[in-house]
């Protein structure tokens, strides 16, 4: 099982590199990555993992993110703080930082999951097929990215996970301080939590089928969990519930 998982992880990493354009092996001599490396000398006294992570050489990424997010004043400052954050591996494989789109002064802020391929290429959230469906859903209740009934859009993760894989809990945890600061700075009246990852991050709960449509609270304001548009593309029958949730949002805004 362990071998199978490490095989799949190595394969995903390789596919990701190929997608990034690294389709040629370079180096004259073959390198045996499976060769046994000599055992390191045992340290005089082994340090507990926790204290190693949190010393100056290996700071705890969640703590670094918390401090950087708290120090950011204004949305441009926050974007710069995220761009300078080195704690998340996803940054190294992404083409662009995907920060936000729409009107930062909007009454409604949407928190999605993570950029996909189209978002990674363009640097804007929700521009692929799911994003186009999202625009149609918003349009149905008189909302859009600009104009009078405007919305503001961001994601829990600002960088695309390789092969669009599920964001990992540690990635969510280290980017959460930035998302929360993002909400505080934009200060919308209402949050829309698109899908499970968003609910996991902002409510600490999963299970979108039960959560959707139930008004909750996140970052000190009303938050409505909804089915993610990508899920609706795969399960068109669920559009019925999504429509009910849009009507609930419209009623709140009225
Ligand atoms: N799905 C998301 O959750 N966010 C995007 O930006 C695109 C697809």
């Amino acid at each position: 099982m362990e071998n199978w998982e490490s095989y799949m992880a190595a394969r995903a990493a390789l596919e990701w590199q190929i997608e990034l354009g690294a389709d040629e092996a370079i180096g004259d001599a073959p390198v045996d990555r499976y060769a046994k490396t000599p055992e390191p000398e045992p340290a005089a006294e082994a340090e507990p993992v926790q204290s190693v992570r949190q010393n100056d050489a290996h700071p705890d990424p969640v703590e670094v993110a918390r401090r950087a997010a708290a120090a950011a004043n204004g949305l441009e400052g926050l974007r710069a703080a995220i761009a300078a954050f080195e704690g998340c591996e996803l940054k190294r494989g992404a083409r662009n930082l995907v920060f936000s789109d729409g009107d930062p002064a909007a009454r409604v802020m949407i928190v999605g999951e993570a950029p996909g391929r189209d978002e990674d290429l363009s640097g804007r959230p929700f521009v692929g097929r799911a994003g186009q469906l999202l625009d149609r859903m918003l349009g149905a209740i008189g909302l859009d990215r600009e104009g009078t009934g405007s919305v503001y859009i961001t994601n829990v993760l600002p960088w695309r996970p390789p092969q669009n894989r599920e964001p990992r809990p540690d990635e969510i945890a280290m980017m959460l301080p930035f998302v929360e600061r993002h909400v505080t700075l934009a200060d919308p009246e209402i949050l829309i939590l698109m899908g499970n990852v968003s609910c996991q991050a902002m409510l600490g709960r999963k299970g979108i089928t039960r959560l959707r449509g139930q008004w909750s609270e996140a970052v000190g304001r009303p938050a409505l969990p909804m089915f993610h548009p990508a899920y609706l593309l795969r399960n068109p029958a669920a559009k019925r519930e999504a429509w009910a949730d849009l009507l609930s949002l419209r009623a709140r805004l009225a």
Side-chain angles (χ1 to χ4, degrees):
M1 188 64 192
E2 211 174 297
N3 282 345
W4 175 248
E5 275 170 8
S6 61
Y7 165 75
M8 291 307 285
R11 192 184 158 133
L14 187 62
E15 283 171 357
W16 187 28
Q17 288 186 35
I18 291 168
E19 200 189 322
L20 292 176
D23 52 4
E24 213 177 301
I26 47 171
D28 293 336
V31 179
D32 182 359
R33 306 262 176 221
Y34 294 93
K36 234 174 165 236
T37 45
E39 291 289 329
E41 289 290 315
E45 212 167 292
E47 288 244 9
V49 174
Q50 193 69 0
S51 68
V52 171
R53 276 201 79 71
Q54 291 179 358
N55 68 21
D56 285 348
H58 304 273
D60 173 17
V62 178
E63 193 47 41
V64 174
R66 253 188 225 132
R67 285 194 206 150
N73 287 317
L75 294 173
E76 274 317 306
L78 183 66
R79 181 202 285 266
I82 297 173
F85 180 64
E86 296 295 341
C88 186
E89 283 293 313
L90 297 177
K91 178 181 176 180
R92 284 173 250 302
R95 290 181 176 91
N96 279 301
L97 165 70
V98 177
F99 182 66
S100 70
D101 197 21
D103 177 7
R107 294 175 68 195
V108 178
M109 181 166 177
I110 296 172
V111 181
E113 176 178 315
R117 185 175 175 277
D118 297 318
E119 292 77 19
D120 183 44
L121 285 172
S122 69
R124 288 175 61 212
F126 282 103
V127 294
R129 277 186 72 222
Q132 287 155 22
L133 175 57
L134 175 64
D135 286 341
R136 290 201 297 280
M137 289 162 65
L138 295 171
I141 55 163
L143 298 177
D144 56 23
R145 297 187 192 214
E146 288 123 31
T148 39
S150 57
V151 297
Y152 186 53
I153 307 177
T154 191
N155 283 310
V156 173
L157 298 185
W159 297 292
R160 181 192 182 194
Q163 308 291 305
N164 297 345
R165 67 153 166 77
E166 271 270 298
R168 292 198 317 247
D170 63 316
E171 292 161 348
I172 295 175
M174 72 177 78
M175 297 318 292
L176 182 59
F178 291 114
V179 187
E180 289 179 336
R181 185 78 181 137
H182 204 157
V183 174
T184 304
L185 290 171
D187 198 21
E189 257 172 70
I190 289 172
L191 284 175
I192 301 295
L193 309 178
M194 282 297 180
N196 253 327
V197 169
S198 185
C199 291
Q200 190 184 347
M202 308 304 283
L203 303 176
R205 289 157 75 197
K206 267 181 130 173
I208 190 65
T209 313
R210 265 176 300 112
L211 293 173
R212 63 136 284 275
Q214 312 279 342
W215 284 92
S216 216
E217 201 188 287
V219 202
R221 65 210 73 218
L224 180 65
M226 284 186 63
F227 281 137
H228 193 288
Y231 174 81
L232 297 175
L233 286 172
R234 294 192 303 271
N235 301 277
K239 285 184 183 166
R240 187 189 164 94
E241 279 92 354
W243 178 236
D245 298 345
L246 287 169
L247 292 180
S248 173
L249 169 62
R250 187 169 71 177
R252 271 267 170 159
L253 286 168

